[in-house]
Amino acid sequence: MPGLAFFAPGKPQAVYFTNSGSPQAPTSATLKRYNVQTKATETIISLPATWIYDAQLSRDGLWILLNASVQNRSALQLVRIDGQHLQTLYCTPAGANVQSLPFAGTTSTQWSPDQQYITFVSGLDQGTPSVFLLTLKSGRLDTLLQGSSSSEVAYLPRTWQDDTHIILTSMHPHSDAPPADLYLLDIKNGTEQSEQKLQRILTTNELCWDFDSSSDASQLFVNHCQQQGSAPGSGRIDLFSPIGSNHPKTIFSSTQLAISHIRTITYGKTDALLFSAYNTIVGVSTEHSQDGLWLVRTDGSQLRRLTSYPYINLNAFGQYPWSNVSRDGQYYAVAPNSSPAGRSVMVGSLNGGPLTQVAIQSSDIAEVFLVGWTAM
């Protein structure tokens, strides 16, 4: 992973990818970056016969991790932000896949903050989902949590709490039940860990909820929402301090906002919470006057609406601050499902104002997704 000569972090750039063709017959996948100040778009790299399922940016903003299908083989790849040094880190055996499951909130492929490890799930389609750990320095692959065909529960990495702890969510692979409960896995406890070594840090059976941890990894923010059919939904944000405590404190509540997703960001010199509100029930005429993207302090004060644009989706692949907010804390990017036009990537200012559409699905682009922010 050689550095980039004369790299000096400068202008904020939003990184995204597009897929063309179909997952079964991909034409190409393209990584691009958009400069919010010059409004210029540059192609990082175009990959023939490739379909990208998910992608993440490294902490230093220099590298992009790809979970992709390359010539019908599931592979983890790495490419530098300038499109150089494309390399395959891991390729699954024939018939196996690195699972990409963004319905759980974010995908199960997660890169550690210190850029040393990648964790992912494989074996879900074979009925034996296991959590694996890939060490980048050596290329060694270990099984962190061994799956069993007799188990009714699978565990999916959601995000790294710090350099050695992974937050997992549990799910029932063969049911329609939503992801439930959060667990902490410590990689210092070794490989081939059993479920008994997991620390449960949250229990829930709700349909609409999400979480993120504070920047110092000591606190957990959990949002709950009730989506209603003919009136604005309601929601609240609870603080668990320390993580795993049984006595949450409600720091924000609303009878108007159905809070669907939440992320911790750095705004100014302190943590703040970015959250999306979306009031919907399938088949029911709903009222969306409070939908959009909102910003609030971690003590529940200074609530501010950033945009009323509907269908706001935060980054589906990562929960780090740079997944949604520029590294200078001035801009944000979202990936709305702007039906009926299709999915798009949009950027805006944390000081407010209109959104700028960066990319959108079209007749020759099957998918477009946000990766995160770098600065060049």
Side-chain angles (χ1 to χ4, degrees), residues 11-14 34-40 331-332 347 358 373:
K11 295 181 175 65
Q13 302 201 27
Y34 172 80
N35 187 316
V36 294
Q37 295 181 5
T38 66
K39 306 288 192 292
Y331 303 94
Y332 67 90
V347 299
V358 174
W373 288 87

Side-chain angles (χ1 to χ4, degrees), residues 334-346:
V334 289
N337 181 15
S338 50
S339 180
R343 180 176 290 274
S344 63
V345 171
M346 294 183 163

Side-chain angles (χ1 to χ4, degrees), residues 111 150 221 225 232 252 270-271 273-274 319 337 339 362:
W111 199 353
S150 61
F221 298 95
C225 75
F252 176 80
T270 61
D271 280 357
L273 300 174
L274 193 68
Q319 297 190 197
N337 181 15
S339 180
S362 63

Side-chain angles (χ1 to χ4, degrees), residues 2-13 15 33 57-63 80-83 115 327 373-376:
L4 186 61
F6 309 112
F7 178 76
K11 295 181 175 65
Q13 302 201 27
V15 178
R33 60 176 186 260
L57 271 163
S58 59
R59 176 187 282 274
D60 62 14
L62 281 177
W63 296 90
R80 204 168 62 182
I81 194 66
D82 61 349
Q115 304 180 188
R327 293 167 189 259
W373 288 87
T374 188
M376 294 184 69

Side-chain angles (χ1 to χ4, degrees), residues 247-325:
H247 303 287
K249 173 185 177 183
T250 297
I251 59 171
F252 176 80
S253 63
S254 170
T255 58
Q256 301 290 311
L257 299 172
I259 304 172
S260 51
H261 296 289
I262 188 172
R263 295 292 177 265
T264 306
I265 65 168
T266 301
Y267 183 58
K269 295 183 179 181
T270 61
D271 280 357
L273 300 174
L274 193 68
F275 70 82
S276 58
Y278 185 49
N279 180 53
T280 184
I281 290 180
V282 176
V284 178
S285 177
T286 58
E287 193 272 323
H288 295 283
S289 65
Q290 300 301 310
D291 288 354
L293 190 67
W294 298 75
L295 185 68
V296 68
R297 294 293 185 181
T298 55
D299 62 0
S301 66
Q302 300 182 38
L303 177 68
R304 184 160 55 88
R305 193 184 205 173
L306 297 178
T307 179
S308 59
Y309 193 91
Y311 316 115
I312 288 292
N313 291 315
L314 296 173
N315 196 314
F317 308 133
Q319 297 190 197
Y320 296 130
W322 60 85
S323 300
N324 288 288
V325 174

Side-chain angles (χ1 to χ4, degrees), residues 45-103:
I45 192 170
S46 186
L47 304 168
T50 298
W51 187 273
I52 299 175
Y53 286 99
D54 53 77
Q56 295 177 46
L57 271 163
S58 59
R59 176 187 282 274
D60 62 14
L62 281 177
W63 296 90
I64 307 171
L65 171 67
L66 307 176
N67 173 19
S69 174
V70 183
Q71 298 179 353
N72 295 318
R73 290 290 294 275
S74 181
L76 294 177
Q77 295 189 311
L78 201 63
V79 65
R80 204 168 62 182
I81 194 66
D82 61 349
Q84 300 300 306
H85 299 287
L86 175 68
Q87 53 200 288
T88 298
L89 305 174
Y90 172 71
C91 194
T92 63
N97 293 293
V98 173
Q99 263 75 41
S100 182
L101 301 165
F103 69 85

